[in-house]
Amino acid sequence: MENATTAGAGGVLDTIATERLIGDRLCAEHFDDLCQMHSDPTVMATLAGVRSHDWTRVFLQKNLEHWDRYGFGLWVFRDRATGQFVGRAGLRHYQWDGNADVELAYALMSEFWGQGLAPEIAQASLRVGFQPLGIPSIVCFTLPTNRASQRVMEKVGFQYERDFVHADLPHVFYRLTTAQWSGLEARSVIKRHN
């Protein structure tokens, strides 16, 4: 199964699946997983540093409220075979410089880096955003020094748009539109059938 979604109560997409991972809608029971991630200095080096359990509690509450308000948000991903916590990813509204966008956000535990899982998670999240949700464009951003994350963005089709400042730090800002994504999906289907 390449990608599947399950609609939960109210039409939200509670579960998404990739070839190697299962993503479940963020819930209160994921607090310990998030604390594990947010206390790992390697993972958090490009995400504003290690965070406290109290900060994680606020982060979790804000993201639960996002799900309640918009019907989508972050998923917690686990390895299909082992059930091990891999990371979190998904879509959320983001306000910047008076603009409103939907952001693709992702973070993986460091032991899963370099295995192609970030693009796998990103593609699954984008598929949900562009197909059932009908979002016209999705943005993604990172520090200019985070080349690994930029490679993920570029691999799934994001186009560099501009530099900007976020959290008082320079960032690079990327965007992917429905039309661009549809073209990439069409080429991918053709390549798989040839």
Side-chain angles (χ1 to χ4, degrees), residues 14-179:
D14 288 346
T15 303
I16 62 175
T18 72
E19 182 181 335
R20 297 177 284 175
L21 304 171
I22 296 289
D24 290 316
R25 174 183 173 163
L26 187 70
C27 65
E29 289 74 22
H30 295 130
F31 178 71
D32 290 341
D33 292 326
L34 294 176
C35 286
Q36 177 189 356
M37 172 175 276
H38 294 163
S39 64
D40 184 325
T42 304
V43 173
M44 299 305 290
T46 59
L47 297 172
V50 170
R51 302 299 190 159
S52 69
H53 286 13
D54 287 339
W55 185 93
T56 299
R57 193 169 284 107
V58 171
F59 171 89
L60 177 59
Q61 186 57 42
K62 285 181 180 177
N63 282 282
L64 293 176
E65 290 168 3
H66 188 283
W67 267 103
D68 291 342
R69 181 172 181 186
Y70 298 106
F72 66 89
L74 297 180
W75 292 274
V76 166
F77 285 86
R78 296 189 182 285
D79 182 280
R80 275 180 180 253
T82 66
Q84 188 176 0
F85 172 59
V86 172
R88 59 164 172 80
L91 305 167
R92 58 188 178 195
H93 283 269
Y94 177 71
Q95 300 282 330
W96 59 279
D97 293 345
N99 299 300
D101 278 301
V102 173
E103 170 200 9
L104 169 67
Y106 53 87
L108 274 64
M109 297 301 291
S110 58
E111 60 264 35
F112 296 102
W113 293 358
Q115 299 176 32
L117 294 173
E120 193 171 312
I121 287 171
Q123 287 171 332
S125 300
L126 290 170
R127 194 167 287 116
V128 169
F130 288 126
Q131 286 182 338
L133 296 177
I135 298 167
S137 76
I138 297 174
V139 302
C140 205
F141 52 88
T142 190
L143 297 168
T145 54
N146 190 350
R147 283 299 302 148
S149 189
Q150 290 175 57
R151 281 191 297 275
V152 170
M153 293 177 203
E154 292 162 359
K155 184 172 185 175
V156 299
F158 279 93
Q159 302 293 313
Y160 168 81
E161 189 169 287
R162 69 185 190 100
D163 293 347
F164 83 124
V165 174
H166 170 68
D168 296 324
L169 293 170
H171 280 70
V172 288
F173 188 89
Y174 286 71
R175 183 180 302 275
L176 180 61
T177 66
T178 300

